Amino acid sequence: MSSDFIISDELKKLPTQPGVYIMHGKDDEIIYVGKAVNLRNRVRQYFQSSKNKSPKVVQMAAHVDHFEYIVTDSELEALVLESNLIKEHRPKYNTMLKDDKAYPYIKVSLGEMYPQIVLSRSMRKDSSRYFGPYPTAGAVRDMIELTRKLFHLRSCSRKLPERQGQGRPCLYHQIGQCPAPCQGLIRPEEYRKNVNRAVAFLGGNVKDEVTELTLKMQKASEEMRFEDAAEYRDLLESIRIVTERQKITSSSDDEDRDVIAIAADLAKEGNTSMDRTEAVVQVFFVRAGKLIGREHFFLTVKDSENKSEILQSFLTQYYAGTPFVPKEIMLEHDIPEHELVEEFLSKKRGSHVGIRIPQRGMKEKLVRMARENAEAVLMRDRDRMAREKMRTTGAVEEIRSLLGIATANRMEAYDISNISGVDSVGSMVVFEEGTPKRTDYRKFRIKTVQGPNDYASMEEVLTRRFTRAKEGSQGFDVLPDLIFMDGGKGQVHIAEKVLHDLDLSIPVAGMVKDDYHNTRGLYFHDRETTIDKTGEGFKLITRIQDEAHRFAIEYHRLLRSKGQVHSVLDDIPGIGDARRKALLRTFGTPEKIRDASLDELAHAPSMNMKAAESVYAFFHQPVEKE
């Protein structure tokens, strides 16, 4: 950060309007995002006396290098913006929802002449009818399959009536499960009756269908149509399986509501530990007064935060990312900004949403049951989370301590792959907090090196990568805390030379292998360091090395396979990339293309007679005799 940012001066310039403030660390990283009714009063509190401040605020403020702010028209706008920025930047000191799930819905496209019933990951304001959200995509697919069978709805996505009459009826028509609207074999009015019954069924009117199917099964049995009776029996069993969930009546009404409770091992009173811990939030989905499903979410929180603060953070992050907001949300604890969050949820839903903290009766029992389930999940996964922490952030700390460097949060590893210098490629893999960050992986095709020269190839890869970083190129602008090279002294010195030439200071370690190609140690600061092979740090280094190797080999294989296809097909006059791909999709291999008749080639997708003649002539041209 430039020295012209003086916090004491900037605090005087803060407006008294509502808005969002963004705290940055010394490397310009965003470490905290917050909202305020009055930006001046709120932000200044962070830099005043530490008396009566929580440990979280004290430690966060000590790491603030500079801040910025965004003024909004209202506190509600600030709340929405705060939630969006937290999800986008994932600041270190904010409570973070780790599970970013898009819950599935059942969509009935009522705006079409022949509506479809499909799975949807979003709920839009259109002419369609949506049911859900459902806890899992599997539950949605089971319900869709059952509904199609019961009401004979089409499973195809063909645009009707525009494409009506094209092609043949599908297999579902042949087995009696679809009336073939694609062929016009059912009038729109009759099909719509089936759709209306399906909508009622999805809305919870199961009893009428069960009664009708039971009567049909009994009648078929009496008439000794046992196959039909068995089919009705199977449908009844499917209804039972799909709809048999916990059906706890939450009250005498039939409202939609979510029941939310939390379990967390928070700091005891007086404990100033700032280590991150885990919390589990349990959500029960109550639809039409019935508990139809549940889901739990893991959050990373600060020890000093209380359950009410965590719940508020969860509500804003979770409901900002889900298209459905129920009419009522029941919590075990009240939240600090109850009315503001209600306003935020009501705006998202389009009608009033109430946040309730029930004290007695069935609703209180549901909240208590949600809390007990959250505690059970936390208990079950505590050991797993501890193991995961050791194998990720714990392993990173082992490596950092072993090498004596300040931080190793972001690690990059490089490898070269080729066969006798042909199609040489380089790979860059990235690990953050001990886990792969695949969106930051990069591939390099070697351009300036001929033959099998791994040192020169690596120098080219590193020069291209860090030159782009110096230029601020998107995708290369984040620098690593530690660089791993797949090799020892030679590879490390190549990397150090490139960094020196570019005036960059980044620690470089070589992953040294033994005669059996297994990692044995690290080459760092011109000496080999032995690693405890039973430690998590060693295991992480091995995973990084294997990942860099795998990524490089995959890219090399891809280039080789493209080269093999090119040598056979791309020399055919008049055959471009699109036709080449179409021919391979149709015939499978170049050999089958060669053996195809002229007529078969002409009728392949994307082909015409002229192109077919070119392909046929290429494979069947006479061999000249000497």
Side-chain angles (χ1 to χ4, degrees), residues 13 76 141 206 251 257 268 339 370 442 476 523 534:
K13 303 174 186 177
L76 177 60
R141 294 188 182 97
V206 177
S251 70
R257 56 175 54 88
K268 302 293 188 295
E339 293 181 359
R442 294 294 181 266
F476 292 91
Y523 185 84
T534 63

Side-chain angles (χ1 to χ4, degrees), residues 2 45 54 72 83 112 116 138 148 236 296 317 321 324 339 391 425 470 485 508 531 544 547 562 604:
S2 61
Q45 290 176 2
S54 71
T72 61
S83 176
E112 298 183 81
Q116 308 169 60
R148 285 172 177 166
L236 283 167
H296 62 265
Q317 290 183 57
F324 180 79
E339 293 181 359
R391 100 183 262 278
V425 300
K470 295 274 285 187
M485 306 300 297
V508 183
I531 313 173
I544 293 172
E547 182 70 351
K562 284 183 176 179

